[in-house]
């Protein structure tokens, strides 16, 4: 590596660390929001697949379930700012229609399961996806007055499956950062510790109705997927969202975990733009490795993919322009006008930019099927987890392992538990 590249690399590293230090210093003196109390209503702790079954059988009314989630949102949202626009009234009306359908007896339980696998189950939709009547700014001030006139493809499929949207949730500007923060709605706080941020967010699930939209190579990098508390719900929701494309996967195929090859990589090998992996996360991953070797009798091979450290450069180069439309993310940020990222960065330093820093300098990774698997809480009460990655169209393998770990180790833990 030349001396000039080393100097540039060190300057970038030093700048990023200085910026993080400034942000932490500001946050240290900022308002300390109260922590959340744990959810008490058992309906809030029930998997979606179980809720759907209980609703089909008439054991619980959808209107009761939906009201329980609305009440919890009203309790915690003033603190965490997760739901940015609601449709509670419409949701309760739709839940009443579900209750009327079940009580009418016109369809038996099996027919309801086939036609409406998510019957009466509440959900939220990321604001970047079109939900009829809801805003879809994707965090851009220039789009804050926009209202969706139709549903995105995945939203439409979920609604046809009987799910009931409660509203739209926050996202980063143009969905290009790892925290949900923008100048339209502000920052979403972590429910486990409101002084921290939350996360921002295989090409089988369609992107139609998402902004920014995906074309060309972006379809492999801007992927849509479900977020569930419990791994057991992931196959069901993924089937609904994928539609006919689900045929490309083998979600119903029996998986023998003992016959799979396992590899473990604890970090990206060191990248200037990425902080080191927290030691508690490393230890959590090592516990999983030990568990797999003891319980399944497999050998987990440690690996080091050298080029993974360049994932940011690869990703940003692929996302910088769209071959079919010629639109870069700078164009999307400008929304029809002109915009110079370097000037916006200077303006941001003085609080004059309409954009967030993450959108001015994009950062993210990967493109293979990935299942994020929760592994309990850290000593500070923050969620721990690992990413389970497989080759293309082998989502059934990552989902099977996630369900195994959820049953045999520790899965999702509600906030306020410690």
């Amino acid at each position: 590596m030349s001396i000039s590249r080393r100097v540039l690399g060190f300057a970038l590293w030093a700048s990023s660390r200085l910026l993080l230090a400034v942000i932490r210093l500001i946050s240290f003196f900022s308002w300390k929001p109260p922590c959340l109390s744990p959810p008490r209503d058992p309906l809030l702790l029930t998997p979606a697949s179980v809720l759907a079954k209980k609703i089909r059988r008439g054991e619980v009314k959808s209107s009761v379930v939906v009201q329980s989630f609305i009440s919890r949102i009203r309790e915690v949202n003033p603190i965490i700012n997760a739901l940015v626009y609601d449709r509670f009234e419409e949701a309760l009306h739709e839940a009443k229609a579900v209750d009327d359908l079940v009580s009418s007896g016109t369809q038996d339980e099996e027919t309801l399961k086939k036609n409406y696998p998510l019957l009466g189950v509440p959900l939220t939709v990321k604001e970047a996806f079109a939900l009829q009547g809801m805003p879809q700014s994707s965090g851009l001030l220039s789009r804050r007055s926009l209202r969706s006139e139709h549903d995105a493809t995945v939203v439409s499929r979920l609604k046809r499956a009987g799910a009931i949207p409660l509203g739209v949730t926050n996202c980063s500007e143009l969905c290009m950062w790892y925290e949900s923060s923008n100048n339209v709605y502000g920052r979403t706080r972590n429910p486990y510790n409101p002084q921290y941020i939350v996360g921002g967010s295989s090409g089988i699930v369609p992107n139609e109705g998402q902004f920014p939209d995906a074309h060309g190579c972006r379809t492999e990098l801007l992927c849509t997927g479900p977020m569930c508390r419990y791994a057991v719900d992931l196959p069901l929701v993924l089937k609904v969202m994928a539609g006919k494309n689900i045929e490309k996967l083998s979600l119903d195929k029996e998986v023998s975990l003992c016959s799979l090859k396992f590899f473990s990589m604890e970090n990206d090998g060191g990248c200037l733009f990425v902080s080191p992996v927290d030691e508690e996360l490393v230890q959590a991953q090592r516990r999983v490795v030990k568990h797999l070797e003891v319980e399944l009798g497999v050998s987990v091979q440690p690996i080091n993919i050298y080029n993974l450290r360049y994932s940011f450069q690869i990703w940003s180069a692929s996302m910088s322009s769209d071959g079919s439309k010629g639109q870069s993310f700078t164009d999307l940020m400008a929304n029809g006008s002109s915009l110079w990222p370097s000037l916006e960065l200077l303006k941001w330093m003085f609080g004059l930019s309409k954009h967030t820093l993450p959108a001015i300098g994009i950062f993210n990774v990967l493109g293979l099927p990935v299942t994020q698997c929760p592994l309990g809480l850290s000593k500070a009460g923050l969620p721990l987890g690992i990413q389970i990655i497989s080759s293309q169209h082998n989502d059934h393998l990552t989902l099977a392992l996630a369900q195994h770990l959820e049953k045999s180790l520790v899965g999702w833990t509600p906030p306020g538990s410690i």
Side-chain angles (χ1 to χ4, degrees):
M1 183 183 293
S2 66
I3 295 178
S4 60
R5 285 191 176 184
R6 291 189 179 189
V7 171
L8 177 60
F10 177 78
L12 289 172
W13 177 85
S15 299
S16 63
R17 292 300 180 270
L18 178 61
L19 178 61
L20 287 174
V22 171
I23 292 174
R24 286 169 181 165
L25 183 62
I26 294 173
S27 63
F28 180 80
F29 291 103
S30 62
W31 171 69
K32 303 296 189 296
C35 293
L36 305 185
S37 60
R40 304 296 183 188
D41 190 334
L43 291 175
L44 301 175
L45 304 174
T46 305
S49 53
V50 176
L51 285 177
K53 180 188 294 186
K54 288 179 174 291
I55 291 171
R56 288 194 300 268
R57 292 179 174 178
E59 296 175 1
V60 63
K61 291 185 178 294
S62 173
S63 55
V64 174
V65 174
V66 169
Q67 184 59 63
S68 294
F69 279 83
I70 290 175
S71 298
R72 178 63 174 175
I73 291 172
R74 284 176 170 159
E75 176 189 352
V76 303
N77 206 55
I79 299 174
I80 63 175
N81 187 38
L83 195 79
V84 294
Y85 209 96
D86 72 73
R87 58 186 305 276
F88 293 159
E89 185 175 341
E90 297 92 329
L92 288 170
H93 179 77
E94 292 162 9
K96 176 64 166 55
V98 168
D99 294 337
D100 291 343
L101 173 63
V102 173
S103 61
S104 70
T106 55
Q107 299 183 44
D108 59 25
E109 182 184 344
E110 285 303 312
T111 304
L112 288 174
K113 180 179 180 180
K114 179 181 178 181
N115 294 338
Y116 312 104
L118 293 171
L119 185 64
V121 175
L123 54 77
T124 57
V125 178
K126 199 172 183 179
E127 200 259 13
F129 287 88
L131 174 58
Q132 189 175 24
M134 297 286 103
Q136 193 192 12
S137 69
S138 203
L140 280 178
L141 283 174
S142 58
R143 289 174 56 92
R144 60 184 167 185
S145 299
L146 186 147
R147 294 293 181 273
S148 299
E149 298 180 357
H150 56 80
D151 293 326
T153 301
V154 290
V155 175
S156 177
R157 288 175 179 174
L158 288 165
K159 290 170 73 173
R160 287 201 303 268
I164 300 176
L166 300 181
V168 291
T169 56
N170 204 9
C171 62
S172 60
E173 187 174 3
L174 288 176
C175 301
M176 300 304 290
W177 197 240
Y178 56 71
E179 67 167 319
S180 296
S181 178
N182 56 70
N183 290 333
V184 178
Y185 303 113
R187 174 176 298 168
T188 297
R189 298 180 179 274
N190 194 311
Y192 292 86
N193 187 333
Q195 295 184 47
Y196 290 82
I197 63 170
V198 296
S201 164
S202 64
I204 294 298
V205 178
N207 290 306
E208 288 88 354
Q210 176 186 2
F211 184 85
D213 54 357
H215 296 277
C217 65
R218 287 184 190 168
T219 58
E220 300 177 2
L221 300 175
L222 283 178
C223 296
T224 303
M227 292 182 64
C228 305
R229 289 173 175 173
Y230 303 102
V232 68
D233 290 329
L234 289 172
L236 171 62
V237 182
L238 184 56
K239 287 179 182 179
V240 172
M241 295 174 68
K244 293 182 179 180
N245 282 335
I246 202 65
E247 297 174 356
K248 298 179 182 179
L249 305 182
S250 305
L251 295 188
D252 294 323
K253 183 178 180 180
E254 192 76 22
V255 176
S256 174
L257 295 176
C258 299
S259 64
L260 299 180
K261 292 183 178 180
F262 291 89
F263 304 89
S264 177
M265 185 170 177
E266 295 180 351
N267 56 64
D268 65 354
C271 175
L272 292 171
F273 303 98
V274 183
S275 300
V277 179
D278 186 270
E279 183 59 28
E280 286 193 79
L281 287 171
V282 173
Q283 293 303 320
Q285 183 167 332
R286 290 175 180 173
R287 286 195 295 272
V288 171
V289 170
K290 183 178 180 181
H291 171 82
L292 294 177
E293 292 182 332
V294 172
E295 296 297 323
L296 300 182
V298 299
S299 176
V300 181
Q301 180 180 342
I303 58 171
N304 180 20
I305 305 175
Y306 181 81
N307 286 336
L308 188 62
R309 68 187 66 197
Y310 302 117
S311 56
F312 165 72
Q313 292 93 323
I314 296 171
W315 185 87
S316 58
S318 300
M319 295 293 289
S320 61
S321 64
D322 186 327
S324 61
K325 282 193 171 184
Q327 275 190 310
S328 67
F329 273 86
T330 300
D331 297 329
L332 294 172
M333 289 169 63
N335 197 35
S337 59
S338 59
L339 183 142
W340 294 88
S342 56
L343 177 60
E344 288 300 318
L345 180 59
L346 181 63
K347 290 165 62 178
W348 176 86
M349 295 174 65
F350 292 95
L352 300 175
S353 176
K354 295 181 179 179
H355 302 280
T356 55
L357 177 63
I360 299 170
I362 55 178
F363 169 60
N364 217 325
V365 287
L366 281 182
L368 294 174
V370 177
T371 300
Q372 176 69 27
C373 185
L375 293 172
L377 305 180
S378 69
K379 295 177 181 178
L382 296 173
L384 296 172
I386 61 169
Q387 288 187 329
I388 306 171
I389 307 170
S390 184
S391 56
Q392 191 175 30
H393 295 168
N394 277 314
D395 304 59
H396 65 295
L397 301 182
T398 65
L399 296 176
L401 181 56
Q403 292 180 67
H404 169 77
L405 294 177
E406 182 175 78
K407 293 177 181 178
S408 56
L409 288 178
V410 58
W412 175 77
T413 305
S417 298
I418 63 173

